């Protein structure tokens, strides 16, 4: 093992991201560090008046194959991997005219940024697979007892501060950068393998790779998890795009909790189903209210009134930028909202939400910064869920574009126009309710929800109780089939006039007969929306 404090006499610079390069190189040169650089990096240094020896001149081997081979040479890797405390290694360096390299500064070709571009070709992607860079990084990280490796421009300021303080680098610092380096190359390799195992791959007929190694980057530690005794953190997917919490901005309020993030994500997944102005209110990861309206203010008012008792302290999702009229409705006396997620907040609305005495210190405002709606496309990637000892993976549950058009009427009576609109609305909301899920809808507003019960009949009875007299004339959406006719019978007794459900039970004929007896219109969608 090397001394605790290792000086830096020679540095290798080979970067695609030139941020901070000149400041770093100038600071090194001022300390008398000899600079060795690959072609493009050396050109940038020379243009800034900094001297650097070119890698090809040092090795005596030119860059070949259009730059595919430039640093893969024993004079480079020998200088990086030599153990300074082994006489045989040092003798070998001398015999071959190799200078030790104490600092390796490399960042990789932008593979992920390349494949994120619309219309990128396979040839373009393949050319952005770095070979020499990972080899340099891994070699320096392996020999971190003697060599320090930097893989990101954001590391440069802390490195220079450390270098000035210690007149070299400590073992602890080099080990930390080695960890960063191996995490970097591991993620890089995973991005490449995920790309190659994409939709065009026939390695697995179901489209899943033999080995899955997802990578997420720590965004922030959280105060606690679902409960105060549980530790928690928020990790995000690199290069994520579209409306999601990973790329959202907290415009106002204290940090989000674990449960806040879960509820906000559920709210976002619900409101993105609607083209028209829409709002939802969530409590404990279930919508207690949701509505559409001619304006966002109307949609919010109707969503909150769906279950105003449960809505107190809830999470609100909106699919339009929050305007003044909507903000004024939100801060009405007696109302309290913990978090609001929306595409944006108009300045006067933002002022209302952040200056009212009972609101300014409590509400959290989360801005997505991009439009929300069916046109935003499905969530990217896969839905991952941990179990003890393993990981469950599935596609995200997507909503049919037009559930009524894709479904079929199985009752004698088809739904009328009003019922059809409410059935489509209720079906979209039902997808976001925990199973067993029952949603009652009337005139584009949720009036009753039954969630998470072991019996579907229990969920019907809870939804009817929540709705009270508003159940009369409403429609019902069920996330899965009714196994018996008791559910439709209970719905009919409450005045429900139409039902939408997947169908597929062995007793479907009994359920259809029950609906016909009660004059209820019944649609089978052919698609279930369990949410466990």
């Amino acid at each position: 093992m090397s001394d605790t404090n290792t000086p830096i006499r020679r540095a290798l610079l080979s970067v695609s991201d030139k941020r901070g390069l000149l400041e770093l190189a100038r600071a090194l040169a001022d300390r008398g560090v000899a600079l060795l650089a690959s072609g493009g990096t050396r050109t940038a240094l020379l243009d800034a008046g900094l001297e650097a020896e070119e890698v090809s001149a040092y090795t005596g081997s030119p860059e070949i194959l259009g730059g595919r081979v430039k640093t893969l040479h024993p004079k480079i890797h020998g200088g990086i991997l030599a153990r300074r405390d082994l006489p045989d290694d040092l003798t070998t360096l001398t015999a071959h005219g190799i200078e030790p390299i104490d600092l390796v500064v490399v960042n990789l070709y932008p593979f992920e940024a390349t494949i994120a571009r619309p219309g990128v070709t396979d040839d373009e992607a393949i050319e952005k697979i770095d070979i020499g860079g990972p080899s340099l990084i891994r070699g320096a990280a392996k020999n971190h007892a003697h060599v320090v490796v930097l893989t990101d421009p954001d590391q440069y300021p802390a490195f220079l501060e450390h270098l000035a303080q210690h007149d070299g680098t400590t073992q602890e610092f080099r080990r930390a950068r080695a960890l960063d380096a191996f995490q970097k190359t591991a993620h890089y390799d995973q991005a490449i393998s995920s790309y190659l195992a994409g939709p065009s791959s026939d390695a697995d007929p179901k489209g899943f790779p033999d080995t899955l190694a997802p990578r997420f980057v720590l965004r922030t530690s959280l105060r606690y998890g679902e409960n105060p005794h549980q530790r928690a953190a928020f990790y995000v997917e690199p290069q994520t795009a579209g409306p999601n919490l990973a790329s959202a901005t907290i415009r106002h309020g204290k940090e989000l909790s674990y449960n806040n993030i879960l509820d906000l994500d559920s709210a976002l997944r619900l409101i993105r189903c609607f083209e028209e102005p829409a709002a939802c209110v969530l409590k404990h990861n279930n919508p207690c209210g949701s509505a559409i309206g001619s304006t966002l203010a109307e949609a919010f008012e109707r969503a909150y009134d769906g279950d105003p008792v449960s809505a107190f302290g809830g999470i609100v999702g909106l699919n339009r930028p929050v305007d003044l009229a909507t903000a004024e409705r939100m801060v009405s006396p007696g109302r309290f909202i913990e978090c609001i997620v929306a595409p944006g907040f108009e300045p006067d609305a933002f002022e209302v939400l952040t200056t009212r005495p009972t609101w300014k210190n409590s509400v959290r405002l989360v801005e997505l910064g991009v439009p929300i709606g069916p046109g935003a496309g499905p969530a990217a990637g896969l839905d991952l869920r941990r179990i003890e000892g393993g990981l469950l993976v599935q596609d995200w549950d997507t909503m049919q574009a037009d559930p009524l058009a894709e479904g079929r009427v199985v009752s004698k009576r088809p739904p009328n126009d009003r019922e059809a609109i409410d059935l489509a609305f209720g079906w979209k909301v039902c997808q976001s309710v925990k199973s067993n899920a029952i949603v009652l809808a009337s005139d584009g507003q949720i009036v009753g929800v039954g969630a998470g019960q072991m019996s579907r009949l229990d969920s019907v009875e809870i939804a009817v109780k929540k709705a009270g007299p508003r159940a009369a004339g409403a429609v019902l959406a069920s996330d899965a089939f009714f196994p018996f006719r008791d559910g439709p019978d209970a719905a009919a007794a409450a005045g429900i006039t139409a039902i939408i459900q997947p169908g597929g039970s062995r007793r479907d004929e009994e359920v259809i007969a029950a609906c016909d007896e009660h004059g209820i219109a019944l649609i089978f969608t052919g698609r279930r929306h369990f949410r466990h």
Side-chain angles (χ1 to χ4, degrees), residues 112-123:
E112 287 181 286
T114 299
I115 61 176
R117 293 201 320 257
V120 67
T121 66
D122 267 356
D123 287 344

Side-chain angles (χ1 to χ4, degrees), residues 433-454:
V433 179
K434 292 293 187 76
S435 302
N436 285 315
I438 297 293
V439 169
L440 305 187
S442 178
D443 194 23
Q445 178 189 32
I446 296 307
V447 296
V449 175
Q453 301 304 304
M454 286 67 74

Side-chain angles (χ1 to χ4, degrees), residues 288-290 302-303 305-307 425 439-449 462-475 496:
C288 58
S290 185
R302 302 180 75 232
D305 286 345
D307 185 352
F425 170 74
V439 169
L440 305 187
S442 178
D443 194 23
Q445 178 189 32
I446 296 307
V447 296
V449 175
I462 291 171
V464 166
K465 180 181 178 182
K466 285 282 187 182
R470 295 181 298 176
V475 306
I496 300 298

Side-chain angles (χ1 to χ4, degrees), residues 12 14-15 34 154 161 453:
L12 171 64
S14 181
V15 296
D154 292 338
E161 182 179 346
Q453 301 304 304

Side-chain angles (χ1 to χ4, degrees), residues 12 14 16 38 64-73 76-77 80 104 106-111 124-140 181 184-186 188-189 192-193 196:
L12 171 64
S14 181
S16 57
S38 58
I64 61 173
L65 305 180
R68 280 190 165 193
V69 179
K70 49 193 172 189
T71 57
L72 298 171
H73 194 280
I76 299 297
H77 289 275
I80 293 171
V104 173
V106 174
N107 48 67
L108 304 173
Y109 292 167
F111 179 79
E124 291 172 324
I126 296 303
E127 284 308 309
K128 290 302 180 183
I129 296 178
D130 204 327
I131 302 301
S135 299
L136 294 171
I137 290 172
R138 290 176 63 83
K184 177 78 71 174
T185 57
Y188 196 75
D189 286 342
I192 295 168
S193 64
L196 295 177

Side-chain angles (χ1 to χ4, degrees), residues 319-343:
N319 70 346
R320 298 284 195 280
V322 181
D323 55 19
L324 178 61
T326 306
E328 292 286 2
R329 298 282 186 100
M330 290 178 171
V331 299
S332 296
R335 289 181 175 173
F336 168 62
I337 296 169
E338 188 163 353
C339 302
I340 302 169
V341 59

Side-chain angles (χ1 to χ4, degrees), residues 127-282:
E127 284 308 309
K128 290 302 180 183
I129 296 178
D130 204 327
I131 302 301
S135 299
L136 294 171
I137 290 172
R138 290 176 63 83
K142 175 177 180 176
N143 201 27
H144 67 269
H146 310 280
V147 179
V148 62
V149 57
L150 303 178
T151 56
D152 191 306
D154 292 338
Q155 297 172 334
Y156 301 168
F159 163 73
L160 291 176
E161 182 179 346
H162 181 87
L163 184 62
Q165 181 180 354
H166 297 277
D167 196 27
T169 59
T170 64
Q171 173 69 13
E172 181 182 13
F173 184 86
R174 295 192 299 275
R175 187 180 182 89
R177 298 296 75 76
L179 173 60
D180 292 338
F182 280 120
Q183 289 177 337
K184 177 78 71 174
T185 57
H187 169 62
Y188 196 75
D189 286 342
Q190 178 59 37
I192 295 168
S193 64
S194 296
Y195 174 78
L196 295 177
S200 61
S201 171
D202 57 4
D204 184 328
K206 293 183 179 180
F208 294 105
D210 291 336
T211 301
L212 183 66
R215 180 178 183 267
F216 298 85
V217 178
L218 179 65
R219 168 66 56 80
T220 183
S221 295
L222 302 174
R223 287 176 292 161
Y224 53 81
E226 284 183 285
N227 301 291
H229 65 275
Q230 294 174 272
R231 295 183 305 151
F234 181 31
Y235 286 77
V236 300
E237 286 183 285
Q239 306 294 329
T240 188
N244 60 66
L245 297 180
S247 56
T249 301
I250 302 177
R251 290 286 309 280
H252 177 78
K254 58 186 178 181
E255 64 177 303
L256 299 174
S257 71
Y258 181 97
N259 292 329
N260 289 156
I261 294 172
L262 285 178
D263 285 337
L264 287 165
D265 180 65
S266 294
L268 173 56
R269 292 173 62 186
L270 172 51
I271 57 176
R272 72 185 297 164
C273 293
F274 298 101
E275 292 280 5
E276 55 272 84
C280 66
V281 184
L282 268 80

